[in-house]
Amino acid sequence: MRLPGSLPKRISFEVIERVVADIVLINMSIVTAFIARFIVFFYLNKRAIISVGPYASILDESVRDYQGSAWLVTLICLVAFALSGFYSYGRAYRGRYKVLVVFQAVSGAYLLFGFLTFFVPFLTHFPRSVLIASWFLTLAAVEAARLWAYLWKLTMRSETREVAARSKSIHHILAIGGAGYIGSILVRRLLERGYQVTVLDALIYGDDSIKDLYGTPRFEFIKGDLRDIECVVNAMQGIDAVVHLGALVGDPACAIDERLTLEINLAATRMIAEVAKGLGVERFIFASTCSVYGASDELLDEKSGLNPVSLYARSKIASEQVLMRMADREFAPTILRFATIFGLSPRQRFDLVVNLLAARAAAGEPVVIMGGQQWRPFIHVADAAEAITRCLEAPVSAVRGEILNVGSDRENYQIAQIGELIQQVIPTVTIVTKGEDPDQRNYRVSFQKFRERVNFVPAHTVRDSITELKTAVEQGLIGDYRDPKYSNYKTLADEGMADRIRREDDWSALYSPSQPEAGAMPFQTAPAPSPSMGGK
């Protein structure tokens, strides 16, 4: 079950700070209103009253009124603020009429409190003057606090732009693995934005995804093995930023050959990063995965503990740690932990859960769901490519040495819910739910940090993509979804590609971490998950 959109989806330290600040503002306003009432009473009666008794009486009355009802005012205000999106940045609260939203929330809260004190006998009755003054002061304080926060953000943004202007500009980008599922979309997007793009790819899955780009201005393709240091050095000449997407991707594909996986996913990553740093390349974007969280019942963010259940996830954790140790003022790696990806791409995949289940449904086959209660976060492949682009264009100070979850908070689903969405789009489909899923992964993820750092929210939904895939299948734009070319695992195992790309030399020993990575090595792999559920 999801929480309503107007309520905070997680209780972060930042949310707690804002709630505490509002509690202080509300109570300061109430106390100030009582003090003002006392001062007015004093000046109006200072000549008529010669003893301190009446003053002491009104002071005692004020203390009793505050103690009896201030807690209720505070509670009502906080509920109204939360429902108005103060703590979850609801759409109205983020819009141009924010002042009006604050006015409505504060006024509504005080009207409700006034109603309760009038009709509920056991509540202490606030004097009308205090109620009106408290409302006005709370409104002013809350509005002023939001205005100050906005002005502070503008100031920091201006300073960040100045720092960004002094950092190295990006003109030429090397996309390693640029012919892949994400890369083939990313390369086109970068070219559209005027960048010069070089792709380094071994074309394990063929070149259908990029062959229409051959001869395109500002595009260069280098066919090569990312484990070949000479090839990497040559490809990185004149490069301003590296996007490293090259890897064996997915739990089943990585489980075929542990040594091959470690060579490509870990040792090669370290070598590529060392070459980039040695050549003075500042920006280095590394594609990781939310699979590093493994199995957890909590809502997870970048500070949450890691619980990998596969070789794929462990290799990514180890690579993350290698890159973070290399970060300094001249080398700015950024780790992007992608949610499970879905959607159409020039290098299409049907070993990913949304794509696979939607293709089966579009082909008129039953959709079989194993378990169904496990959680996954999702992101469309086009949004993943846009996220990388936004990260490249963000001020380096916002992403230097950062680990960022990339996805959408609204697109956390249980696998059974994916089946429900498919049935909404394709009502004739038969959904079959079976016992437990051998895939142990279960995680819901928060993407707040990436949203705040890079100012990007994914545009596509899972439901939209199911419609997109259904249309593509019906129009014959996609052939048989069972074709091995659509599956990383089948290409490597059934088609024998893993045998062809193995290297006999022990080159990877030069670039393997000298000490085992905590939580990542040595690699004791869990059983490979069923290819039907796919990896990210």
Side-chain angles (χ1 to χ4, degrees):
M1 295 295 291
R2 297 194 202 176
L3 295 175
S6 57
L7 294 176
K9 294 180 175 61
R10 63 189 293 269
I11 304 300
S12 65
F13 182 72
E14 182 184 358
V15 170
I16 294 173
E17 281 185 321
R18 279 184 266 141
V19 170
V20 171
D22 284 339
I23 291 173
V24 172
L25 292 175
I26 295 164
N27 283 270
M28 285 180 60
S29 300
I30 297 172
V31 170
T32 303
F34 274 114
I35 293 174
R37 174 172 179 259
F38 181 82
I39 292 173
V40 170
F41 178 82
F42 174 80
Y43 276 102
L44 292 178
N45 298 279
K46 63 181 179 180
R47 294 183 179 179
I49 299 175
I50 58 175
S51 67
V52 298
Y55 298 116
S57 176
I58 195 171
L59 182 61
D60 289 341
E61 178 189 345
S62 298
V63 172
R64 287 196 304 273
D65 287 347
Y66 174 78
Q67 292 176 337
S69 295
W71 64 271
L72 183 58
V73 181
T74 303
L75 180 61
I76 294 174
C77 283
L78 292 179
V79 172
F81 293 176
L83 292 174
S84 299
F86 283 29
Y87 309 126
S88 60
Y89 292 109
R91 180 175 299 177
Y93 182 75
R94 289 184 284 114
R96 65 178 66 183
Y97 302 111
K98 184 175 184 175
V99 172
L100 180 60
V101 173
V102 174
F103 176 83
Q104 290 175 335
V106 175
S107 300
Y110 271 90
L111 283 172
L112 178 59
F113 173 73
F115 175 85
L116 290 175
T117 56
F118 186 81
F119 288 101
V120 180
F122 69 84
L123 292 175
T124 303
H125 293 279
F126 260 33
R128 290 183 181 177
S129 60
V130 173
L131 187 62
I132 295 172
S134 298
W135 163 77
F136 177 78
L137 291 170
T138 301
L139 180 62
V142 173
E143 293 277 19
R146 267 61 186 179
L147 177 61
W148 170 257
Y150 175 71
L151 293 175
W152 177 258
K153 185 178 292 186
L154 286 180
T155 301
M156 295 302 294
R157 192 173 296 168
S158 176
E159 293 180 358
T160 298
R161 288 196 192 102
E162 293 178 7
V163 173
R166 294 194 297 269
S167 66
K168 300 176 182 178
S169 58
I170 298 176
H171 303 285
H172 193 172
I173 298 168
L174 173 62
I176 299 176
Y181 186 49
I182 302 174
S184 56
I185 292 182
L186 172 67
V187 168
R188 288 169 170 81
R189 190 150 298 186
L190 293 175
L191 290 171
E192 290 170 0
R193 298 200 188 190
Y195 294 101
Q196 183 177 349
V197 180
T198 295
V199 168
L200 173 62
D201 200 299
L203 299 181
I204 292 176
Y205 307 104
D207 71 342
D208 288 348
S209 61
I210 60 166
K211 63 183 179 182
D212 61 310
L213 296 177
Y214 296 159
T216 300
R218 293 179 283 102
F219 175 79
E220 178 187 11
F221 174 70
I222 300 173
K223 183 177 181 180
D225 189 336
L226 56 76
R227 296 169 292 176
D228 185 340
I229 186 170
E230 183 178 354
C231 183
V232 170
V233 170
N234 290 336
M236 217 171 289
Q237 299 302 313
I239 294 297
D240 303 311
V242 173
V243 178
H244 183 21
L245 300 167
L248 294 184
V249 177
D251 297 352
C254 287
I256 293 172
D257 186 323
E258 179 173 319
R259 176 180 172 181
L260 183 64
T261 297
L262 296 182
E263 285 183 0
I264 294 175
N265 288 13
L266 176 56
T269 296
R270 181 175 180 179
M271 180 268 286
I272 293 167
E274 288 179 351
V275 171
K277 186 172 183 177
L279 293 177
V281 178
E282 183 180 29
R283 297 288 191 107
F284 191 97
I285 309 296
F286 177 70
S288 188
T289 171
C290 284
S291 288
V292 298
Y293 298 117
S296 175
D297 293 326
E298 304 295 326
L299 183 62
L300 305 165
D301 62 18
E302 291 81 357
K303 296 180 181 178
S304 299
L306 306 182
N307 185 28
V309 296
S310 68
L311 176 60
Y312 174 54
R314 291 183 173 93
S315 70
K316 288 296 185 179
I317 293 172
S319 295
E320 289 182 8
Q321 294 171 332
V322 166
L323 292 172
M324 288 298 99
R325 286 202 302 269
M326 294 176 65
D328 57 27
R329 297 182 64 180
E330 303 299 324
F331 183 64
T334 305
I335 309 298
L336 300 184
R337 289 177 178 166
F338 286 104
T340 300
I341 302 181
F342 60 88
L344 289 177
S345 163
R347 196 257 131 169
Q348 186 56 29
R349 289 178 60 190
F350 284 112
D351 55 354
L352 297 161
V353 60
V354 172
N355 293 357
L356 176 61
L357 298 184
R360 285 177 176 171
E365 301 174 9
V367 170
V368 179
I369 294 176
M370 302 299 294
Q373 301 307 305
Q374 61 274 39
W375 286 90
R376 294 283 193 287
F378 293 92
I379 184 173
H380 193 281
V381 63
D383 286 325
E386 180 64 18
I388 295 171
T389 306
R390 295 288 187 94
C391 193
L392 287 167
E393 295 176 345
V396 68
S397 59
V399 297
R400 179 191 300 275
E402 293 292 342
I403 296 176
L404 303 170
N405 295 332
V406 181
S408 173
D409 289 316
R410 67 182 180 180
E411 297 300 298
N412 278 295
Y413 289 102
Q414 290 176 296
I415 301 301
Q417 292 176 314
I418 300 297
E420 294 170 5
L421 291 174
I422 291 173
Q423 198 156 45
Q424 291 174 17
V425 177
I426 309 173
T428 57
V429 69
T430 300
I431 306 294
V432 179
T433 302
K434 294 189 176 180
E436 294 298 321
D437 186 357
D439 188 343
Q440 303 172 36
R441 293 173 299 160
N442 175 62
Y443 47 91
R444 291 180 299 142
V445 181
S446 167
F447 303 97
Q448 178 181 345
K449 182 179 177 182
F450 186 79
R451 183 172 65 246
E452 293 175 350
R453 291 295 181 100
V454 184
N455 191 29
F456 173 66
V457 177
H460 300 79
T461 66
V462 169
R463 195 181 194 282
D464 294 338
S465 184
I466 294 169
T467 303
E468 173 189 50
L469 289 161
K470 173 179 177 287
T471 302
V473 171
E474 290 175 345
Q475 294 180 353
L477 300 178
I478 296 173
D480 185 355
Y481 74 88
R482 291 170 292 245
D483 192 312
K485 70 179 182 179
Y486 294 130
S487 168
N488 291 353
Y489 175 82
K490 289 180 180 179
T491 299
L492 291 168
D494 298 351
E495 300 299 301
M497 183 58 71
D499 293 330
R500 279 179 267 169
I501 63 176
R502 288 188 180 96
R503 291 178 55 158
E504 297 303 323
D505 58 318
D506 197 25
W507 76 275
S508 61
L510 298 173
Y511 299 101
S512 297
S514 58
Q515 297 295 328
E517 304 294 327
M521 298 178 67
F523 294 90
Q524 297 177 348
T525 59
S530 166
S532 64
M533 281 293 97
K536 191 204 67 62

